[in-house]
Amino acid sequence: MSTDDAYLVGLRLAGKKVVVVGGGTVAQRRLPLLIASGADVHVITKAATPVVEALDGITLTLREFRDGDLEGAWYVIAATDDPAVNAAIVAEAESRRVFCVRADIAIEGTAVTPATLDYEGLSIGVLAGGEHRRSAAIRTAIREALQQGLIAEAGEDAPGVIKGGVALVGGGPGDPELMTVRGRRLLAHADVVVADRLAPQELLAELSPDIEVIDAAKIPYGRAMAQDAINNVLIDRAREGKFVVRLKGGDPFVFARGYEEIIACAEAGIPVTVVPGVTSAIAVPALAGVPVTHRGMNHEFVVVSGHVAPGHPESLTNWDALAAMTGTIVLLMAVERIEQFAKVLLEGGRPADTPVLVVQHGTTTAQRVLRSTLSEVPERIRSDGVRPPAIIVIGPVAAFGA
Ligand code: SAH
């Protein structure tokens, strides 16, 4: 028989004896799903990988395969590194009328393992006539299409369809590939998207025209504060039964007022889901070549908002403490007042030659990178015309990647 003729089936293996012969990396990859199926899994192998040895929920026997090992088995996987042994296992399974997968030469087995995928109650299996890369690639493509909402389920009651409420979603630092899978999936289900300036704009462009996109910066707010106006839009649309995605740049709780929106929705009785995001504070330096920590160099990194000046009555930052530390300082919203921040850090004892990295529009095609020192960075930022949004990294790590 050829694997092309394989008949795709789902096995209910709970409590049934399954024998896996071999304990190397091939067996290791098959075992988790077998264990999850509730099968009574027996592994017989001369040698096991540390991962196989540590697996809970299997009976491990360390010896060679023998005749009789398949006694009582419902399903067998021959995954040793010895073709002759695998052939003997297939032969014994055949004589006992037990289906057997042969890992090294799939076409010689009486069963084949599909590339599989579990997604919100769906089980999907793909066979490609023995072309493993093809079946795996198609499986992965199906998963991505489901996650991005490109394949939708018919019917309002299909599982996974969100029926209302608000999702507070972190959009990542700008590059659409840096948004979480969950965030992408919820965005694909949105009826309304309320987006910040720093949310990944390319993702908004991809949305279907029937989805209402509201630019949070442009919501008219009359006598109400802007944040109140945003909260009101979220609540009003959710009350109309719409599913609202509140899309923010980076992570919704890093200097993004996300928790104020949670409180407002909670007070209005609107359910909110939070989807964390990749924060620009870490990702933007990383993609410009700078790790925020490095062994032996710093034991702390501090993310600081520069939206008020040092010494301002509303400032909650202890700049003297930041100056006294040796670790990394990541400044957000700090372009406008960089002179004051550099001054207070220098006066507090940070060395003048402390490396500084400045990244404008990080992770996007418009990214600009500037490298300087603490004493010179204000002047450089002005002469180079750096504008927000920009991240300023101060500390020894900022010298990396130059
Ligand atoms: N919640 C966001 C930060 C919001 S505060 C996050 O977690 O990333 C806005 C500030 O973030 C900007 O003024 C800028 O300092 C920084 N920022 C956000 N995205 C950026 C980007 N792509 N490049 C550089 N700085 C960015």
Side-chain angles (χ1 to χ4, degrees), residues 283-289 358-370:
V284 164
L287 293 176
V358 181
V359 188
Q360 179 179 351
H361 292 307
T363 82
T364 73
T365 49
Q367 172 168 305
R368 273 177 75 197
V369 176
L370 186 157

Side-chain angles (χ1 to χ4, degrees), residues 194-205:
V194 182
D196 279 347
R197 282 278 156 77
L198 288 175
Q201 298 302 311
E202 287 164 61
L203 292 179
L204 299 178

Side-chain angles (χ1 to χ4, degrees), residues 173 198 249-251 254-256 279-281 284 332-333 359 361-362 389-391:
L198 288 175
D251 181 273
V254 177
F255 304 137
T279 180
S280 65
V284 164
L332 274 58
M333 299 180 279
V359 188
H361 292 307
I391 297 272

Side-chain angles (χ1 to χ4, degrees), residues 40-398:
D40 173 23
V41 181
H42 293 247
V43 178
I44 297 162
T45 182
K46 284 196 291 184
T49 67
V51 172
V52 169
E53 251 174 46
L55 278 177
D56 280 331
I58 61 171
T59 307
L60 181 62
T61 308
L62 290 171
R63 60 157 170 77
E64 304 217 348
F65 172 75
R66 291 182 200 144
D67 273 0
D69 277 342
L70 306 187
E71 175 73 45
W74 289 71
Y75 189 62
V76 177
I77 296 181
T80 76
D81 54 7
D82 183 340
V85 173
N86 288 345
I89 297 162
V90 172
E92 189 191 330
E94 176 104 31
S95 72
R96 291 175 181 272
R97 304 187 174 209
V98 181
F99 284 106
C100 179
V101 172
R102 181 165 170 179
D104 56 343
I105 312 175
I107 204 161
E108 309 252 305
T110 50
V112 279
T113 318
T116 59
L117 149 68
D118 278 313
Y119 183 85
E120 291 182 355
L122 298 171
S123 294
I124 295 166
V126 180
L127 292 176
E131 288 181 49
H132 298 303
R133 275 172 191 266
R134 186 168 177 220
S135 49
I138 295 295
R139 179 269 322 273
T140 303
I142 294 172
R143 174 162 48 215
E144 283 174 6
L146 283 165
Q147 285 166 341
Q148 293 172 20
L150 299 174
I151 309 175
E153 293 178 57
E156 283 289 301
D157 296 325
V161 173
I162 298 118
K163 292 215 195 64
V166 172
L168 183 61
V169 176
D175 177 343
E177 296 222 320
L178 295 175
M179 185 164 159
T180 65
V181 169
R182 188 181 296 173
R184 287 291 286 261
R185 182 162 63 77
L186 294 188
L187 188 62
H189 287 296
D191 300 309
V192 181
V193 179
V194 182
D196 279 347
R197 282 278 156 77
L198 288 175
Q201 298 302 311
E202 287 164 61
L203 292 179
L204 299 178
E206 282 173 13
L207 294 172
S208 101
D210 58 312
I211 294 170
E212 186 187 10
V213 178
I214 300 173
D215 180 343
K218 289 194 186 142
I219 297 176
Y221 53 89
R223 283 172 46 229
M225 300 288 288
Q227 186 62 51
D228 291 337
I230 292 169
N231 297 349
N232 291 340
V233 168
L234 300 178
I235 292 163
D236 290 349
R237 292 297 191 280
R239 283 199 173 134
E240 290 167 16
K242 307 240 169 84
F243 175 50
V244 185
V245 167
R246 172 71 175 111
L247 187 63
K248 290 178 177 283
D251 181 273
F253 290 158
V254 177
F255 304 137
R257 308 189 68 166
Y259 205 69
E260 292 172 51
E261 294 169 12
I262 301 253
I263 292 169
C265 288
E267 282 172 356
I270 307 287
V272 186
T273 307
V274 178
V275 183
V278 173
T279 180
S280 65
I282 298 171
V284 164
L287 293 176
V290 169
V292 291
T293 77
H294 185 63
R295 199 165 81 96
M297 204 171 256
N298 61 315
H299 286 175
E300 75 264 310
F301 69 98
V302 183
V303 180
V304 183
S305 166
H307 79 286
V308 289
H312 186 284
E314 279 170 25
S315 173
L316 299 173
T317 303
N318 184 339
W319 287 94
D320 293 332
L322 293 179
M325 291 175 6
T326 55
T328 308
I329 303 172
V330 182
L331 292 178
L332 274 58
M333 299 180 279
V335 169
E336 201 182 319
R337 295 177 191 82
I338 186 60
E339 288 81 1
Q340 298 174 64
F341 303 134
K343 180 165 180 278
V344 71
L345 292 174
L346 288 166
E347 284 172 0
R350 288 268 181 160
D353 62 355
T354 302
V356 178
L357 172 85
V358 181
V359 188
Q360 179 179 351
H361 292 307
T363 82
T364 73
T365 49
Q367 172 168 305
R368 273 177 75 197
V369 176
L370 186 157
R371 288 170 182 281
S372 186
T373 61
L374 188 53
S375 58
E376 285 168 8
V377 74
E379 167 66 33
R380 282 290 308 280
I381 283 184
R382 300 303 168 226
S383 62
D384 285 33
V386 174
R387 299 290 312 143
I391 297 272
I392 303 172
V393 184
I394 301 168
V397 292

